[in-house]
Amino acid sequence: MEFFERFAVPHPSPLIYASMVAIGLTVLAIIFGITYFKKWGYLWKEWLTTVDHKRIGIMYMISALLMLFRGGADAVMMRLQTSVPDNTFLEAQHYNEVFTTHGVVMIIFMAMAFIIGLMNFVVPLQIGARDVAFPRLNALSFWLYFAGAMLFNISFVIGGSPDAGWTNYYPLASNDFSTSVGVNYYNWALQISGLGTLMTGINFIVTIIKMRAPGMKLMKMPMFTWSALITNAIIVFAFPVLTIALIMGTLDRQFGTSLFTSTSGGMDMQWANLFWIWGHPEVYILILPAFGVYSQIISTFSGRNLYGYKSMVGSMVIISLMSFLVWAHHFFTMGHDAFTNSIFSITTMAIAVPTGIKIFNWLLTMWKGKIRFTVPMLYSVAFIPLFTIGGVTGVMLGVASADFQYHNTMFLVAHFHNVIIPGVVFAMLAGMTYWWPKMFGFMLNEKIGKWAFWFVSIGFCFSFFPMYITGLDGQARRMYTYSESTGFGPLNMLSFFGAGVMAIGFIIIVYNVLYSIKNSPRNIGDDPWDARSLEWATQTPVQEYNFAITPEVESSDAYWDHKKKGYQLFKGNIEKIHMPNNSGLPIIMAGIMLVFAFSFVFYIWAGVIVAAIAFLACLIYRSFEKDDGHYIPVSEIKETENKNGGAN
Amino acid sequence: MKIKLALLFGLLTIATILAGCEPLLVFDTKGPQAATISNVIWISIITMAVVVIVVVALLINMLVKYRASKQPEDYEPPHIEGNPIVEAIIVGVPVLIVAFLSVISVMSTYSVEAVPEGYEDQEPLVIYASSSDWKWHFSYPEQDIETVNYVFIPTHRPVEFRLYSHTTISSFWIPQLAGQKYAMADMVNKLNVVADVPAEMIGRNSNFNGEGFAENTFNVTSLDPDEFDSWIEDIHATAEPLTEEEFTKLLEPGHLGQMTFTGTHLDFLPAPEGEHGGHNHGSSETDQDSAGHEETNTESEHDHH
Amino acid sequence: MKIDNTQPLEYSTDQNQMNILGFWIFLGAEIMLFATLFATYFIYADRTGSGPTGSDIFEITPVLIETFLLLTSSFTIGLAINAMRLGRKNATLTFLAITLLLGAGFIGFEIFEFVHYYHVGAGLQTSAFTGMLLTTLGTHGAHVTFGFFWGLFILIQIKRDGFNPRTANKSFIFSLYWHFLDVMWIFIFSFIYLKGMM
């Protein structure tokens, strides 16, 4: 019995028991459903073992949306708890777990996954490639991310969630102050998914450098591909720092070292330093691809080429470099001398310059254009003013002296939601709607989509603008409740109202997907938006091999030139195409990794050793495996192409 | 778009009304440090409001003028590459704005760290403020008293709070007097404040530190120097001395009301500064550390003004 | 697979070229990983708590032997790759085997060194300094151990299949990895041991 006691949740509540039952029933229902419809074979062959970048991208996005609802439920619970003074809906400990998981899930398992999902689907198509450089590694990346996400989510029902905030500062996160296994989960879930992210970073840099279509020079790449290249470079240099920080955290918690303690020479703020040396580039990892998405969409729906292409690229490069030079602004109040704070204050505000360039370039892209207000464009148009507000409040936070008053308050919370929601989440929704027809061969309903847009964006304003005010009125973040005398009540109620409106918006989006699956017309052609870049030159839906003939490119708007200037994209004849084979190894390795990490979280050393040996066995198997992929014969390609109306 | 703008203005109106009835805490200042920051915040709000208004105006202009429904059916938008003059403007203007704010930031950062102007000659009142889960302990070495969860300070005299923690990282924050600063277990941070007027204020730990975080607050009272002195005398006349045993009990996690003692815990449990620096070097006698350490810790600990 | 015969065997296919570029980028990430370890170690170097300092525990002899073994192995892996370019299978196998033996020797001495630290009271839990020292050395040692087995499997594959684009590519990438570990060791030797002993 003693062995099993460790798996109990330390602070159980009816809410957690209800979720346990709900999770159990859902899993059973899914297993039963798949078995009943005899879909196991299909699922295994077509999805779980796939190495196709398009399917991996779609799996990333589905997982990200699931996580969005997990994190969103956390968000609504938090806003409900704080909607009235002295509320007793959640207890302090439970509230602490909720905001911790909300932060981690939204950043690591939702936003990152969605961004990487979009990159997976779009980048190879935009550069005219057949897949990514290392297709199987790509599958492993996804499954490691998925294993990390699963590990993190089961903490809710087995053993207890982390409760030290998503920033997980020591000594609060040490065994002395966070006694459940929650932070162990945090360490391992982030470690595993971080490993996957690092592999993605390497994979996409090589893909973009080596696999571009003939004629596509670096400065002729579509802007989303540029943003992906720079983002992945940041990933490669930022994630190893997190790896080390997490290892040190694991050593402290599970092996009794004193690296982050206040005794035996340990240094608690070293965690904060390492965390933010990774963490600040991380926010640019999220926002740069979003910038890429907006660049594509604004250009498409203004009917114009992107204004200031070179300065767009240059500003992203500058942002990526500077993102590593600002981390100390997350703790101006730590007691640095005024000189250090001044330096970091200036570097922080300086990032506003390249970001400002981008805002003006988007505005100038609309200039003399012919603007169509589709759903993706609505999100992009709303992004500009809302993100500007988030950006300027970021500059305000960058003023070191003033940060002494904003730090740790709702003002800060308002700021980063103000950049992440209109920045990243709007980009996700816009990008999803924009590329949806390429993914699934039909469009999302525009009218319902517009309703969802208004709910999400108005809900956003109501939810987060009041926080700027309560922050300036002294409401600290992460307080599970407050007394009536503080006067925070009405504005927090307004926030809760806004959160509710946003939640309705997201439900409408789900409804829209279901509605469109049923009702949208399927014969939409290859280019329903009258778009500009190469991914729209493929068939809809895209074939396994993407392009029957490798395209040749002369500008960043290659497909637009093809349509307007009659430029030939596909020269030459169809030849046999080399494609990688599917493999079950990635999902198996990720499964083993899940067992490894879960055992590690609970100190079950036998499980750790067995899983480690199994993982190494997979690596050895992979080393000795001979798998050169397969060829699709010309006849088969011609048949598919003819069936779908030809490539060009 | 129009709905959204209406909404924005609505929110701004709400903000103004709220600001009108009762100033927000960080603008309702009771001392020069907070007043400096309050001014900086207003300057940055106004500067940034100009930026937002320009962007929104440009956006509305583009959306109104170039929407497809206003263009002729056969209108083909032109191909326009960047333009050096335009790009110089969109780089130059932000650079100027950032430079302006940088100057403000640097000047004000130095100013809020220092003893406020006009008070440099006075001997500061040193108060050690140390946090434990989830309380604040205020030790007055000069007066030889200690309080829990409340602090009295005289007006018109510089007060030097020396901040550290018995447990996790917390952040000492009295919004109406000055910005916050961290209190950590292995070093001592200094916060200089002056109260201009007698007032009752709220202070709190603003850095999340576990279950009792929400109630981790304390009361701050600034009062005339005469009254402050008589308060001290009262304590010496009435309060019990603080013993080590008693203090160990106080450190246990939980909440306490306001308490008063004579003597301070610093006598038996010194703050992590000077020779008691929390770096726990077995051998070395002072806290002269490696370069890397100084970079991430702080000068304030080493710098005795 | 198109094979381009104008290129060395390890670069002869598109996939091979991508593998090598990808590995260089991976080494970039590894540099960040070790840079983080070094930076943190330097911050912790004097934070010895009540435990021993670097000069108390470092011993020059095993460190010099480790350095000699690893530097020599970096030379022999270079010879192995050179032999591979010349198409001499036996020479390649011999040099690769010597490299791995030297690597194994390095690991052996490192284990000996760790046991010594444990005996003189410098364990993982002793202080922030010892914890970080062992973490940094351990990360490097784990890399060498991983490399040992990786190299062993490549050796078996060359023995079995001879030289082809696949085995040549793997050997070349392995040699990059091995050189990288050597460079990291030079940093460890200079900035951890020598600096610590002074």
Side-chain angles (χ1 to χ4, degrees):
Chain A
M1 254 346 267
E2 209 182 320
F3 178 80
F4 292 103
E5 269 166 24
R6 69 181 86 184
F7 299 122
V9 176
H11 308 276
S13 73
L15 214 61
I16 293 180
Y17 288 131
S19 329
M20 282 183 187
V21 174
I23 292 171
L25 288 179
T26 316
V27 171
L28 280 177
I30 291 171
I31 293 175
F32 178 77
I34 296 171
T35 316
Y36 183 78
F37 292 106
K38 298 197 171 69
K39 288 288 185 193
W40 281 113
Y42 165 79
L43 203 64
W44 178 257
K45 248 179 78 183
E46 299 292 327
W47 291 92
L48 303 185
T49 60
T50 188
V51 293
D52 182 336
H53 70 95
K54 301 180 284 296
R55 293 200 165 167
I56 289 172
I58 288 168
M59 289 195 291
Y60 262 118
M61 283 184 262
I62 292 171
S63 318
L65 287 177
L66 286 176
M67 290 297 121
L68 178 74
F69 282 91
R70 159 83 214 267
D74 285 345
V76 172
M77 276 157 70
M78 274 149 53
R79 297 271 56 87
L80 176 61
Q81 164 63 22
T82 52
S83 60
V84 290
D86 300 313
N87 199 356
T88 51
F89 167 61
L90 296 176
E91 286 167 17
Q93 176 61 27
H94 197 177
Y95 184 82
N96 298 345
E97 293 175 12
V98 167
F99 73 67
T100 303
T101 49
H102 168 77
V104 177
V105 164
M106 285 302 203
I107 298 281
I108 306 285
F109 301 121
M110 188 280 284
M112 281 296 281
F114 208 99
I115 288 297
I116 292 176
L118 272 184
M119 287 197 297
N120 258 290
F121 187 86
V122 177
V123 166
L125 297 179
Q126 268 194 342
I127 61 174
R130 296 239 150 80
D131 207 320
V132 293
F134 311 112
R136 197 186 282 197
L137 193 68
N138 200 23
L140 184 60
S141 286
F142 169 73
W143 289 111
L144 283 178
Y145 147 73
F146 193 76
M150 288 300 105
L151 183 71
F152 193 80
N153 277 284
I154 53 177
S155 72
F156 185 53
V157 289
I158 304 176
S161 296
D163 57 359
W166 89 280
T167 47
N168 203 46
Y169 274 20
Y170 287 79
L172 183 63
S174 68
N175 286 331
D176 294 345
F177 302 102
S178 182
T179 46
S180 77
V181 292
V183 179
N184 298 352
Y185 269 117
Y186 173 99
N187 286 334
W188 282 105
L190 264 65
Q191 191 71 280
I192 295 178
S193 64
L195 217 61
T197 308
L198 178 66
M199 293 174 189
T200 300
I202 295 169
N203 209 339
F204 275 84
I205 295 177
V206 178
T207 305
I208 295 171
I209 289 179
K210 284 281 190 184
M211 297 177 76
R212 296 191 310 278
M216 188 182 277
K217 301 214 174 67
L218 279 177
M219 290 310 274
K220 286 179 181 168
M221 296 197 302
M223 197 47 65
F224 182 70
T225 300
W226 254 116
S227 72
L229 177 62
I230 293 167
T231 300
N232 285 299
I234 305 179
I235 287 178
V236 167
F237 287 103
F239 268 78
V241 182
L242 179 69
T243 307
I244 294 299
L246 292 172
I247 288 176
M248 290 169 69
T250 302
L251 287 172
D252 258 21
R253 284 186 59 91
Q254 301 198 264
F255 294 95
T257 60
S258 42
L259 301 171
F260 296 137
T261 59
S262 352
T263 52
S264 300
M267 186 171 167
D268 43 12
M269 282 313 282
Q270 183 62 9
W271 164 268
N273 273 297
L274 294 178
F275 181 84
W276 286 115
I277 290 174
W278 161 78
H280 202 84
E282 164 70 16
V283 305
Y284 291 95
I285 292 171
L286 296 177
I287 200 70
L288 289 182
F291 287 171
V293 171
Y294 291 127
S295 298
Q296 302 292 150
I297 289 173
I298 291 175
S299 162
T300 297
F301 294 108
S302 303
R304 267 208 45 206
N305 64 316
L306 191 64
Y307 187 90
Y309 180 94
K310 283 180 201 158
S311 60
M312 284 302 226
V313 174
S315 58
M316 280 198 289
V317 173
I318 293 171
I319 289 175
S320 71
L321 296 175
M322 291 187 67
S323 70
F324 284 92
L325 303 174
V326 298
W327 80 91
H329 72 210
H330 293 274
F331 38 87
F332 278 143
T333 55
M334 188 191 108
H336 297 116
D337 55 290
F339 179 74
T340 313
N341 277 349
S342 298
I343 298 288
F344 280 101
S345 168
I346 293 170
T347 55
T348 302
M349 287 191 279
I351 290 196
V353 175
T355 315
I357 294 172
K358 302 189 79 71
I359 298 271
F360 286 112
N361 277 340
W362 287 315
L363 288 171
L364 287 163
T365 304
M366 294 181 207
W367 179 54
K368 291 193 177 173
K370 195 175 178 183
I371 301 170
R372 287 174 286 155
F373 290 102
T374 57
V375 171
M377 188 62 174
L378 281 179
Y379 281 112
S380 311
V381 166
F383 151 79
I384 291 178
L386 292 178
F387 185 80
T388 307
I389 295 172
V392 296
T393 54
V395 174
M396 289 169 66
L397 278 155
V399 177
S401 57
D403 183 67
F404 291 0
Q405 294 282 32
Y406 307 133
H407 186 62
N408 275 331
T409 68
M410 294 308 276
F411 188 93
L412 172 72
V413 175
H415 157 71
F416 68 70
H417 285 90
N418 202 162
V419 284
I420 289 182
I421 293 177
V424 183
V425 178
F426 280 22
M428 284 168 33
L429 299 174
M432 181 179 88
T433 317
Y434 181 62
W435 281 297
W436 188 276
K438 262 298 141 202
M439 295 175 198
F440 301 108
F442 63 92
M443 297 175 78
L444 290 174
N445 185 286
E446 279 280 297
K447 205 172 162 197
I448 305 174
K450 282 177 185 171
W451 275 103
F453 162 76
W454 288 111
F455 271 91
V456 170
S457 52
I458 292 174
F460 163 78
C461 295
F462 275 110
S463 198
F464 293 99
F465 289 162
M467 293 181 190
Y468 284 119
I469 300 166
T470 55
L472 290 174
D473 205 17
Q475 187 182 359
R477 68 193 289 209
R478 295 171 169 177
M479 285 199 303
Y480 86 104
T481 193
Y482 49 88
S483 67
E484 192 161 1
S485 60
T486 54
F488 303 147
L491 284 170
N492 277 280
M493 181 50 99
L494 196 62
S495 270
F496 171 59
F497 167 73
V501 174
M502 270 182 98
I504 295 171
F506 283 107
I507 292 167
I508 297 176
I509 290 172
V510 174
Y511 170 72
N512 193 10
V513 170
L514 299 175
Y515 178 89
S516 305
I517 288 176
K518 218 174 152 197
N519 298 318
S520 281
R522 294 313 201 253
N523 53 338
I524 49 164
D526 296 339
D527 178 28
W529 300 114
D530 194 16
R532 312 175 71 87
S533 46
L534 211 48
E535 71 269 28
W536 302 99
T538 57
Q539 293 181 5
T540 298
V542 190
Q543 294 304 322
E544 180 196 1
Y545 46 77
N546 296 351
F547 298 89
I549 301 168
T550 302
E552 287 179 36
V553 177
E554 276 195 358
S555 76
S556 61
D557 289 340
Y559 187 55
W560 184 258
D561 290 350
H562 165 72
K563 286 189 290 187
K564 298 289 164 178
K565 297 183 193 160
Y567 174 76
Q568 268 297 312
L569 282 176
F570 302 104
K571 298 170 192 163
N573 296 318
I574 293 178
E575 291 171 32
K576 61 178 181 172
I577 295 174
H578 179 254
M579 295 302 292
N581 290 332
N582 284 1
S583 167
L585 208 54
I587 186 173
I588 292 170
M589 285 169 79
I592 293 169
M593 198 54 128
L594 184 62
V595 174
F596 174 84
F598 182 83
S599 310
F600 221 122
V601 166
F602 287 97
Y603 307 84
I604 304 168
W605 302 120
V608 170
I609 293 165
V610 169
I613 291 170
F615 194 82
L616 289 175
C618 290
L619 288 179
I620 295 168
Y621 174 80
R622 173 68 178 136
S623 176
F624 283 93
E625 189 187 16
K626 286 182 189 170
D627 177 8
D628 285 327
H630 61 279
Y631 282 96
I632 307 176
V634 177
S635 57
E636 195 184 321
I637 301 166
K638 280 194 172 146
E639 196 184 317
T640 343
E641 292 293 310
N642 289 335
K643 195 170 69 193
N644 294 288
N648 40 54
Chain B
M1 262 331 282
K2 274 172 195 150
I3 302 175
K4 179 139 10 80
L5 278 175
L7 199 79
L8 273 176
F9 283 120
L11 281 168
L12 279 175
T13 324
I14 294 171
T16 332
I17 293 167
L18 278 171
C21 344
E22 200 182 318
L24 298 173
L25 216 52
V26 301
F27 300 131
D28 185 15
T29 61
K30 305 290 184 206
Q33 307 290 45
T36 307
I37 299 182
S38 170
N39 289 336
V40 170
I41 293 176
W42 276 117
I43 292 170
S44 60
I45 287 179
I46 292 163
T47 323
M48 292 295 113
V50 173
V51 174
V52 172
I53 288 166
V54 168
V55 169
V56 171
L58 276 171
L59 179 68
I60 292 172
N61 175 52
M62 300 300 174
L63 295 182
V64 170
K65 255 172 117 174
Y66 301 109
R67 55 195 311 158
S69 54
K70 282 214 173 172
Q71 315 274 23
E73 193 68 28
D74 57 348
Y75 173 67
E76 277 285 331
H79 181 94
I80 309 171
E81 297 279 337
N83 173 321
I85 298 170
V86 175
E87 292 188 22
I89 293 171
I90 63 179
V91 175
V93 174
V95 166
L96 289 179
I97 294 172
V98 165
F100 167 68
L101 283 176
S102 296
V103 172
I104 303 250
S105 173
V106 172
M107 279 167 49
S108 59
T109 302
Y110 273 92
S111 126
V112 298
E113 292 279 355
V115 177
E117 215 172 306
Y119 294 97
E120 296 94 336
D121 305 333
Q122 283 192 52
E123 173 76 12
L125 169 66
V126 173
I127 303 174
Y128 284 84
S130 57
S131 71
S132 67
D133 289 357
W134 293 275
K135 306 159 286 278
W136 284 96
H137 309 268
F138 296 95
S139 319
Y140 297 65
E142 190 186 326
Q143 286 75 15
D144 200 35
I145 62 161
E146 176 151 331
T147 61
V148 177
N149 287 338
Y150 79 102
V151 58
F152 277 35
I153 57 170
T155 54
H156 301 293
R157 178 172 171 190
V159 177
E160 182 181 304
F161 282 109
R162 296 198 182 162
L163 314 171
Y164 71 96
S165 163
H166 297 281
T167 53
T168 59
I169 301 173
S170 52
S171 189
F172 180 85
W173 189 32
I174 310 169
Q176 289 173 283
L177 279 186
Q180 64 197 282
K181 219 168 225 191
Y182 282 2
M184 290 168 285
D186 56 358
M187 61 190 273
V188 171
N189 271 332
K190 279 183 196 168
L191 186 68
N192 293 303
V193 305
V194 172
D196 281 341
V197 286
E200 299 266 339
M201 290 163 276
I202 288 287
R204 68 165 299 120
N205 162 31
S206 66
N207 196 55
F208 174 63
N209 64 346
E211 208 171 339
F213 167 64
E215 295 91 359
N216 198 356
T217 58
F218 55 93
N219 292 317
V220 186
T221 310
S222 60
L223 62 182
D224 288 330
D226 297 344
E227 290 177 43
F228 178 77
D229 292 339
S230 62
W231 174 70
I232 299 285
E233 278 164 30
D234 273 1
I235 290 172
H236 279 289
T238 57
E240 298 286 320
L242 179 64
T243 60
E244 189 163 1
E245 195 185 352
E246 174 77 25
F247 188 70
T248 318
K249 261 189 224 157
L250 295 185
L251 286 182
E252 281 167 17
H255 294 289
L256 297 169
Q258 303 191 347
M259 302 170 101
T260 317
F261 301 96
T262 55
T264 69
H265 73 264
L266 300 170
D267 301 333
F268 46 83
L269 195 67
E273 61 182 342
E275 61 190 298
H276 305 290
H279 323 305
N280 294 330
H281 303 226
S283 47
S284 57
E285 71 284 23
T286 59
D287 56 350
Q288 290 308 305
D289 252 344
S290 71
H293 170 70
E294 295 217 2
E295 184 186 304
T296 29
N297 272 8
T298 129
E299 292 296 325
S300 62
E301 176 191 355
H302 307 286
D303 240 344
H304 294 278
H305 300 284
Chain C
M1 281 281 153
K2 279 195 203 99
I3 297 179
D4 179 357
N5 289 320
T6 61
Q7 297 277 351
L9 203 53
E10 67 268 21
Y11 282 100
S12 59
T13 69
D14 285 344
Q15 189 64 48
N16 276 4
Q17 291 182 17
M18 290 196 288
N19 290 349
I20 292 170
L21 177 65
F23 199 79
W24 275 111
I25 297 167
F26 171 73
L27 289 184
E30 287 274 58
I31 287 172
M32 270 314 280
L33 187 100
F34 278 97
T36 310
L37 283 172
F38 288 146
T40 310
Y41 173 81
F42 294 141
I43 291 168
Y44 283 20
D46 293 327
R47 303 176 74 94
T48 50
S50 50
T53 64
S55 51
D56 293 341
I57 56 170
F58 291 150
E59 291 206 356
I60 192 74
T61 325
V63 174
L64 276 180
I65 297 172
E66 285 164 37
T67 309
F68 171 76
L69 291 174
L70 207 61
L71 284 182
T72 317
S73 78
S74 196
F75 178 64
T76 54
I77 189 71
L79 291 178
I81 294 304
N82 193 42
M84 179 185 87
R85 288 246 168 98
L86 298 172
R88 292 163 65 173
K89 185 173 162 185
N90 284 338
T92 310
L93 288 176
T94 313
F95 284 126
L96 195 54
I98 294 171
T99 306
L100 295 179
L101 284 176
L102 291 168
F106 171 87
I107 297 164
F109 272 93
E110 190 154 51
I111 291 170
F112 170 78
E113 190 193 331
F114 279 22
V115 171
H116 162 75
Y117 291 152
Y118 181 74
H119 281 304
V120 297
L124 201 57
Q125 302 174 350
T126 309
S127 69
F129 158 69
T130 57
M132 201 58 217
L133 173 75
L134 295 175
T135 305
T136 309
L137 296 178
T139 306
H140 181 267
H143 274 77
V144 178
T145 312
F146 179 81
F148 174 81
F149 288 104
W150 184 17
L152 192 65
F153 299 135
I154 291 172
L155 190 138
I156 295 170
Q157 287 173 44
I158 297 177
K159 195 166 163 58
R160 193 183 61 185
D161 302 340
F163 295 132
N164 57 36
R166 181 206 306 277
T167 52
N169 191 238
K170 283 183 179 181
S171 316
F172 183 75
I173 288 173
F174 173 72
S175 78
L176 292 179
Y177 179 76
W178 201 260
H179 288 309
F180 168 78
L181 292 182
D182 199 37
V183 173
M184 287 304 114
W185 181 258
I186 292 171
F187 277 96
I188 290 176
F189 178 75
S190 327
F191 294 114
I192 292 183
Y193 290 115
L194 288 187
K195 194 165 168 283
M197 275 181 249
M198 276 189 302

